Amino acid sequence: MFSRVSLILIGIAYIYYQVNALDFGIAELEVENNITMETQTILSLLNMSVSIQLESGSLNVTISEIELVSECFLIGDTTSCNCSVGYSWSNEVCYNSSCCTETTCTQNVAHIEPLCVAKVQVSINGSVTLTSGSWDPDKTTKLESAFRSRLNGYESLNVTGSSAATADFKAVVCIKLKTSVLNQLLEDLMVNLSAKVRVDTVGMVDITAPDDIVSYKSSPTLECTFEEVTTSTGWKLIREHEHLELTDGTVVTLTKCDIDSKYNCSIAVTLNEVTGSGSGTYECRFTFGSVTHTAKAKLKVSLLPEVITMKINPPIADCSDSSNLEVPVPVPVTVTATIQNSNESYNVSWQFPGAELSRGSEPAPGDILVYSVRSVFSCEESTATKWEVSFKNQKGQTKNESLDILVIHVSKNVCPAEGIWPKTPNGGTVIKQCENGKTGYKSRTCGKDGVWQTVFTSCISKELKKVLNEAEVFKTGIGATQEAAMWIFESLKNTTTSKSSNDYAGINASISIINIMASGSESITLKEEVFDDFLNAASNLLANNWTGVNESITNDMSLQYLYGVENLVKNIQVNNTLNIYKPNLDLKVSKGDCNISVFDVTVKLTETGGQVKTVGVRNLMHKLNNSFKPTSTAPHNLLLIVTKNGSSSTEITMDFPIKELNDAQKLHCVFWDTNKKDWSDTGCRVERDSNHTDGNHTLCKCNHLTSFAVLMSKSDTPNLDLDTITYVGLAVSICSLVILLIIEALVWSVVVKTDLSYFRHTALVNIAVFLLLADCSFLASMSPENLSAHLCLILTLCKHLFYLAMFSWMLCMSVMLIHRLIFVFSPLRKRVFMFLSSIVGYGCPVVIVGISYVYCRYNKKEYYKKDTCWLVFDGTLDGSLYSFLLPVGTVIFTNLFSMAVVIFTLVKSSAPDGSKSDEKETFKSIIKVVVFLTPVFGVTWGIGFLLQIFNEDHEAYPFILYSFTILNSFQGLFVMLTGVFAEPKVRQELLKRMDKGKYDTMMNSTSASNTKER
């Protein structure tokens, strides 16, 4: 029996879906027949439209191209199969049926899929390093024989070079190999040749990249796909004499291996806002064992100048001599624009006063390109003073730079020429290039009064500039290797020891390098080998006093230094323990139990396990901003940076060797708050060390990790006296308020017979209740260090709510009084008063407290401070404290206005008589109003706003603090005295209940006396 099986590749088949959507596909069709039929006849029959039945329905397919892939003849038990030209046996056929060449296969392989695959050229470049012996022709034969016998599609192998113990070779196969087969081949060769063998291939990986030149600052993506699972992947940028490893950075974003349903591995690299540094050949790699599969693609970026440096000569147009002329004499000027040389061909145009866009002179080739144009400045006051240059690349993108010429129209308020600084108009700034082999610029401004200001310089050495540029490139992720980081820190160490880098510009540039490397270390791995040079450089920077700049710049530089050092210490990986000492930095890295010492400061952590890094920093504290305690100093100018792997929720204890203080000094344990950019004592406290009886040690305890220090105040308000006053005042207030509520319960039915008295006593009872609850909450939170965080939060919420409720009812009483005075003939109904008062007295406080708490939680801000159990003050109109201050301030202001209206009414009612006795009575009435209304209107709390205005070092601050503490601690007593005993009805009812018979006799005698008088 004769049977023919043909495998036909149907290419680019157009499939029309029912929705008329066009799709493309490639399919394989196996045709079997048992009659003699030419293949071309079969192909001609398929050159048509066919319908394919699927589970989801039928598809109409148009076959546009057909190609024969393989053909098999089955005659009895004999099989004869061949691949068509351009195709070779698949790996499945080769390794399962031993048909690995292009000759006829006599095995029954017609059922294997795929049978034949299209040929592709795969190059295998390898090297052999012998562990013993030398390379000889016999080893070449073994190498060639192993590849020929083991690899499917083998074509050739040539040794491209050899020495005593090494040999390089190149092999070529015509299909994509199985990595496991190639890897096993290499392992066998290593044993047979007693050598190490590594190879990389080209042609196994498919790479896609932009075909055209990409735009400047665009974000192109390159992707590689490998048809197997691999153990490691990577990318490399190849430029002339450079092979730069790619890692995640500000420019480079790597996508790790993404395995699809067919076990294909895809990796990608995206270049974010790519510039000229991204041009070159990109190579992706997939590694498995001793085999690395690679693919390359070129990427070209259309460039624009990174920096355009413009100069104008002369920089000053002196038109003062032409000010009186009808036609001013023009000033000839030459403008230049300097850029770094590149392969980009720019279209350069100029625009200057009185002229349209025009081309300037072409530059001479070199490392830099200098474009120039000549023009004249007319000296007319209405003439524009700006020169502008525009660079356009081949993608049509442009970059502009402009420069203004300074003009002197009149010789008034002009800074005279001084050295290199020319005669300059007031308000003008002259920029000069650096001298003595330095890069950058220096500038000087002529003040409005015609006096030169201080010279500002950014001139740094070329060596330091090179390190700065390398750090910038490192942060992008291009060439960001451990070796590159070590070179950067070693070079920084060398430049910081040079006197030429000890000025402001050099120190600022060095700090910038530390911060750039710290930023890069967030995504790029740095190992402990960089620590020594890094700490050397950082220590060198602190050996200088950073003179020549104002305090604000010094604060900013020190802040950047602290952030950079802290982040690098945290991110640099250390395997075990490490101790590095430098003059201004002392680093200790420990594992397990943390009990270490840096600069004689002992550091302990309650939570063991994990890695802890501690570094002591000298000569930095006095450079940092200090608004926490402006008059305080650092006893030893030392701060600690402590970081820990994993969770930082642990208590840290630091033992500072500080001499015994006098009574006028106080220590503060503080940490650097990165949000406030200042010192803070939240979560930290100072304790005396009981283990040292000499009193010369101070324990600083904190419940979080960061940068710590100890501040010493020169003077501090004695807190012991204030605490005593507060305890006594609150106790008296609580007892007074309880008595007030008992009295109100006893006399209630007698004293509330009119609407006005009902309104007053209802408000008074609510004020007393909420003040009682608030005082109890305040008393319970007087020792926050003994409270849990949860209980501290509850007490903060209670104080916030109860004090606001108290002030809200004070407001109700105040408004009720004003309404009574102004609307005499329109009395307020009881139902209306109770409804409105309930909203203001109960609803508003709950809403304010709820909103402030939810707002802080939603914005991840602190609602309360654990060390005070009270609201947070973060600055002007910032912090939860303002949800208390603003409502209270509004109530106090309203109540003061109400008191003023009452006093005005009293004065006005006594004005018609004008007698001295009436004036005396009016004055007494005013004093009574102030005394009686101040406690129930909460006016004494207004003193607290003065505490927000005055600094702690102000001479009036202690008096204000004591006044606020005394008046408001005893507020309950004052409310009882003025709100209850000052009212005659209440006194009468109390006397009546205390001695009813004596009271009746007194009332009868009083009545008889009144009758006689009548």
Side-chain angles (χ1 to χ4, degrees):
M1 180 179 178
F2 175 83
S3 178
R4 169 183 287 174
V5 177
S6 301
L7 185 63
I8 301 169
L9 182 67
I10 305 173
I12 318 179
Y14 295 90
I15 304 174
Y16 291 85
Y17 291 93
Q18 293 179 355
V19 293
N20 295 325
L22 184 62
D23 201 357
F24 302 90
I26 298 176
E28 286 186 352
L29 178 64
E30 184 180 287
V31 179
E32 183 177 354
N33 65 83
N34 56 7
I35 59 175
T36 303
M37 182 181 293
E38 294 294 330
T39 303
Q40 292 300 325
T41 304
I42 299 175
L43 294 179
S44 63
L45 294 174
L46 290 174
N47 193 13
M48 62 182 72
S49 295
V50 296
S51 178
I52 300 177
Q53 296 295 325
L54 301 175
E55 292 182 0
S56 58
S58 61
L59 293 176
N60 292 322
V61 179
T62 299
I63 302 173
S64 62
E65 184 178 343
I66 302 175
E67 186 176 6
L68 182 65
V69 174
S70 61
E71 192 173 24
C72 291
F73 295 93
L74 306 178
I75 305 174
D77 295 332
T78 304
T79 302
S80 175
C81 293
N82 291 281
C83 290
S84 300
V85 176
Y87 289 86
S88 181
W89 298 117
S90 67
N91 289 320
E92 287 75 7
V93 173
C94 176
Y95 299 123
N96 293 327
S97 303
S98 301
C99 294
C100 299
T101 62
E102 297 179 29
T103 58
T104 301
C105 181
T106 59
Q107 300 291 327
N108 186 8
V109 295
H111 61 283
I112 298 178
E113 184 180 339
L115 189 59
C116 296
V117 294
K119 285 185 178 181
V120 294
Q121 180 170 312
V122 176
S123 299
I124 305 173
N125 301 295
S127 63
V128 181
T129 303
L130 301 175
T131 56
S132 62
S134 58
W135 192 261
D136 55 40
D138 181 57
K139 291 183 174 59
T140 301
T141 303
K142 288 183 178 181
L143 181 66
E144 182 180 3
S145 176
F147 272 76
R148 182 189 299 275
S149 61
R150 302 277 291 275
L151 294 185
N152 183 27
Y154 172 85
E155 290 188 351
S156 64
L157 184 144
N158 295 306
V159 175
T160 56
S162 62
S163 60
T166 61
D168 297 327
F169 64 90
K170 179 179 180 180
V172 178
V173 295
C174 64
I175 70 165
K176 292 184 177 181
L177 302 167
K178 276 191 174 181
T179 305
S180 57
V181 174
L182 181 57
N183 215 40
Q184 185 62 50
L185 167 62
L186 298 181
E187 290 179 4
D188 294 343
L189 279 173
M190 292 179 193
V191 175
N192 295 333
L193 298 177
S194 299
K196 294 181 179 180
V197 185
R198 296 197 63 87
V199 300
D200 59 79
T201 72
V202 178
M204 293 282 292
V205 177
D206 297 323
I207 186 169
T208 57
D211 297 327
D212 194 11
I213 299 174
V214 300
S215 299
Y216 179 79
K217 289 292 182 91
S218 62
S219 299
T221 297
L222 295 87
E223 184 176 5
C224 285
T225 302
F226 179 53
E227 296 177 352
E228 297 181 47
V229 179
T230 185
T231 55
S232 73
T233 60
W235 286 88
K236 186 184 293 185
L237 173 59
I238 302 173
R239 294 200 291 252
E240 188 177 3
H241 310 302
E242 286 183 313
H243 285 68
L244 304 174
E245 196 70 24
L246 300 184
T247 56
D248 285 313
T250 56
V251 172
V252 176
T253 300
L254 299 179
T255 302
K256 296 182 179 179
C257 182
D258 181 23
I259 301 175
D260 61 16
S261 59
K262 296 182 180 179
Y263 299 100
N264 294 330
C265 177
S266 296
I267 60 174
V269 57
T270 301
L271 306 172
N272 305 299
E273 296 189 357
V274 65
T275 61
S277 62
S279 293
T281 300
Y282 286 81
E283 179 185 86
C284 61
R285 66 178 181 273
F286 298 81
T287 302
F288 187 89
S290 300
V291 181
T292 300
H293 303 292
T294 65
K296 297 178 181 179
K298 287 187 176 181
L299 181 71
K300 188 173 181 181
V301 182
S302 186
L303 306 180
L304 281 174
E306 294 292 327
V307 179
I308 304 173
T309 304
M310 292 190 70
K311 292 173 61 178
I312 188 167
N313 188 28
I316 314 295
D318 191 350
C319 300
S320 57
D321 296 335
S322 303
S323 59
N324 297 324
L325 301 177
E326 292 185 4
V327 180
V329 179
V331 177
V333 295
T334 300
V335 185
T336 60
T338 304
I339 63 172
Q340 192 70 28
N341 196 1
S342 67
N343 296 326
E344 187 74 28
S345 180
Y346 294 114
N347 182 10
V348 184
S349 55
W350 295 83
Q351 187 175 12
F352 50 90
E356 298 296 329
L357 286 172
S358 63
R359 290 183 61 84
S361 60
E362 293 295 332
D367 291 337
I368 59 173
L369 301 179
V370 181
Y371 295 82
S372 63
V373 67
R374 293 183 178 181
S375 179
V376 292
F377 184 73
S378 67
C379 277
E380 294 180 1
E381 292 193 15
S382 59
T383 304
T385 59
K386 180 180 290 185
W387 271 261
E388 184 173 314
V389 64
S390 177
F391 290 83
K392 180 183 288 187
N393 62 19
Q394 55 187 311
K395 301 290 286 188
Q397 298 173 290
T398 60
K399 187 170 186 178
N400 303 328
E401 189 62 63
S402 61
L403 180 66
D404 285 288
I405 189 172
L406 300 176
V407 185
I408 301 176
H409 288 292
V410 292
S411 297
K412 186 178 180 181
N413 289 335
V414 175
C415 292
E418 185 179 301
I420 64 172
W421 308 103
K423 181 181 177 182
T424 304
N426 64 323
T429 299
V430 181
I431 299 175
K432 293 286 186 179
Q433 298 299 309
C434 297
E435 304 164 340
N436 302 323
K438 291 190 174 184
T439 63
Y441 69 91
K442 50 187 175 180
S443 63
R444 197 176 190 188
T445 300
C446 177
K448 293 183 178 180
D449 54 357
V451 178
W452 283 110
Q453 295 181 1
T454 305
V455 176
F456 174 83
T457 178
S458 65
C459 298
I460 60 176
S461 65
K462 291 183 178 179
E463 293 79 9
L464 185 57
K465 180 65 175 178
K466 183 179 180 181
V467 180
L468 181 59
N469 291 339
E470 290 297 323
E472 290 282 4
V473 174
F474 183 91
K475 186 175 68 171
T476 65
I478 300 176
T481 60
Q482 178 73 7
E483 292 73 19
M486 293 183 67
W487 183 91
I488 290 172
F489 284 120
E490 181 183 7
S491 301
L492 182 61
K493 176 193 69 175
N494 296 334
T495 56
T496 52
T497 57
S498 173
K499 292 183 178 180
S500 61
S501 298
N502 283 341
D503 55 3
Y504 157 74
I507 294 173
N508 192 51
S510 300
I511 293 174
S512 297
I513 293 171
I514 291 177
N515 271 276
I516 292 170
M517 295 302 292
S519 176
S521 66
E522 296 290 340
S523 56
I524 301 168
T525 301
L526 296 179
K527 297 181 180 179
E528 62 184 86
E529 287 77 13
V530 305
F531 250 131
D532 192 74
D533 287 337
F534 155 55
L535 293 177
N536 249 323
S539 179
N540 292 340
L541 292 175
L542 295 178
N544 192 287
N545 291 326
W546 301 8
T547 57
V549 293
N550 59 40
E551 183 179 359
S552 175
I553 295 178
T554 301
N555 292 158
D556 184 66
M557 289 170 58
S558 59
L559 179 61
Q560 297 303 318
Y561 177 94
L562 177 61
Y563 288 169
V565 170
E566 181 175 357
N567 288 325
L568 274 173
V569 169
K570 179 179 67 175
N571 295 332
I572 295 175
Q573 294 185 357
V574 178
N575 292 329
N576 294 301
T577 59
L578 188 66
N579 299 328
I580 300 179
Y581 177 86
K582 303 299 176 186
N584 292 305
L585 287 101
D586 187 5
L587 171 70
K588 295 289 195 306
V589 180
S590 61
K591 275 193 171 184
D593 295 338
C594 178
N595 188 349
I596 59 177
S597 176
V598 291
F599 288 138
D600 298 327
V601 177
T602 303
V603 180
K604 299 179 181 178
L605 262 69
T606 57
E607 181 183 327
T608 59
Q611 187 181 74
V612 179
K613 299 175 183 175
T614 306
V615 58
V617 184
R618 282 177 174 163
N619 299 323
L620 181 66
M621 274 199 67
H622 66 283
K623 300 180 175 70
L624 287 163
N625 177 49
N626 179 19
S627 300
F628 171 73
K629 295 286 183 182
T631 60
S632 63
T633 58
H636 39 49
N637 198 14
L638 172 68
L639 65 86
L640 299 180
I641 300 173
V642 185
T643 65
K644 182 178 183 296
N645 289 350
S647 174
S648 60
S649 58
T650 181
E651 185 174 70
I652 179 173
T653 302
M654 294 157 283
D655 186 351
F656 288 87
I658 301 175
K659 65 180 181 179
E660 190 171 2
L661 308 178
N662 57 45
D663 294 335
Q665 294 175 319
K666 183 177 180 180
L667 293 175
H668 303 274
C669 180
V670 295
F671 75 97
W672 186 257
D673 192 322
T674 56
N675 295 323
K676 297 179 181 178
K677 297 182 180 179
D678 200 356
W679 297 107
S680 172
D681 60 354
T682 302
C684 296
R685 63 185 186 274
V686 175
E687 295 182 0
R688 281 295 175 187
D689 190 357
S690 59
N691 296 325
H692 296 88
T693 57
D694 57 4
N696 292 336
H697 286 260
T698 297
L699 290 183
C700 179
K701 289 190 176 182
C702 298
N703 57 16
H704 52 79
L705 301 181
T706 180
S707 300
F708 302 98
V710 170
L711 291 175
M712 181 177 65
S713 298
K714 295 180 180 179
S715 61
D716 198 79
T717 306
N719 289 330
L720 182 60
D721 294 341
L722 288 176
D723 289 345
T724 303
I725 293 172
T726 302
Y727 277 116
V728 174
L730 288 176
V732 172
S733 289
I734 291 172
C735 293
S736 300
L737 292 169
V738 171
I739 294 172
L740 182 150
L741 293 173
I742 294 173
I743 292 174
E744 284 289 335
L746 293 174
V747 303
W748 181 263
S749 59
V750 176
V751 298
V752 296
K753 292 182 177 180
T754 65
D755 286 349
L756 182 61
S757 61
Y758 178 83
F759 297 158
R760 180 180 180 277
H761 282 274
T762 298
L764 183 63
V765 168
N766 278 279
I767 291 171
V769 169
F770 285 117
L771 180 57
L772 175 63
L773 294 173
D775 285 348
C776 291
S777 301
F778 192 94
L779 192 62
S781 63
M782 285 287 287
S783 300
E785 65 275 6
N786 298 325
L787 301 176
S788 65
H790 184 66
L791 184 56
C792 185
L793 171 62
I794 293 175
L795 290 174
T796 303
L797 288 168
C798 289
K799 289 187 288 184
H800 193 184
L801 176 63
F802 296 150
Y803 278 126
L804 284 183
M806 178 192 72
F807 278 100
S808 298
W809 278 101
M810 288 178 176
L811 179 64
C812 293
M813 180 180 285
S814 170
V815 173
M816 179 269 296
L817 180 60
I818 291 297
H819 184 276
R820 184 70 177 178
L821 290 174
I822 297 176
F823 304 101
V824 179
F825 301 105
S826 299
L828 192 64
R829 289 185 298 171
K830 184 184 295 187
R831 180 178 298 178
V832 174
F833 171 79
M834 290 305 300
F835 175 73
L836 296 178
S837 298
S838 298
I839 294 176
V840 175
Y842 302 137
C844 290
V846 172
V847 171
I848 293 173
V849 173
I851 290 176
S852 62
Y853 178 74
V854 172
Y855 173 82
C856 291
R857 287 293 300 270
Y858 181 77
N859 291 280
K860 297 182 179 179
K861 292 185 176 182
E862 288 186 347
Y863 171 74
Y864 74 105
K865 295 178 67 174
K866 174 64 174 66
D867 56 336
T868 60
C869 288
W870 187 230
L871 305 176
V872 177
F873 175 78
D874 287 331
T876 304
L877 294 179
D878 187 16
S880 59
L881 183 61
Y882 281 96
S883 64
F884 178 77
L885 292 179
L886 294 178
V888 170
T890 303
V891 172
I892 293 174
F893 177 80
T894 305
N895 292 353
L896 285 172
F897 174 76
S898 300
M899 289 178 64
V901 171
V902 173
I903 294 172
F904 177 75
T905 304
L906 290 173
V907 173
K908 186 178 179 181
S909 62
S910 63
D913 296 334
S915 63
K916 290 186 177 180
S917 60
D918 289 335
E919 290 180 357
K920 182 181 277 189
E921 290 299 322
T922 301
F923 179 74
K924 289 182 180 179
S925 299
I926 292 174
I927 295 298
K928 287 182 180 179
V929 168
V930 173
V931 172
F932 292 162
L933 293 185
T934 294
V936 293
F937 277 10
V939 177
T940 56
W941 284 74
I943 301 173
F945 286 89
L946 297 178
L947 296 175
Q948 302 294 325
I949 299 174
F950 291 94
N951 292 325
E952 292 185 24
D953 55 346
H954 195 278
E955 58 184 7
Y957 188 86
F959 173 77
I960 298 172
L961 183 59
Y962 272 91
S963 300
F964 177 80
T965 304
I966 293 171
L967 291 175
N968 291 291
S969 295
F970 289 90
Q971 186 180 9
L973 174 63
F974 300 143
V975 169
M976 183 188 70
L977 295 175
T978 59
V980 175
F981 291 106
E983 185 174 345
K985 285 186 178 181
V986 175
R987 292 200 306 269
Q988 292 174 5
E989 181 64 21
L990 284 177
L991 289 173
K992 180 179 178 181
R993 287 179 175 274
M994 291 170 58
D995 192 348
K996 190 174 188 328
K998 186 176 180 181
Y999 177 78
D1000 290 340
T1001 302
M1002 183 183 68
M1003 291 299 295
N1004 291 334
S1005 62
T1006 303
S1007 177
S1009 174
N1010 291 337
T1011 303
K1012 290 179 180 179
E1013 289 177 358
R1014 290 174 185 168

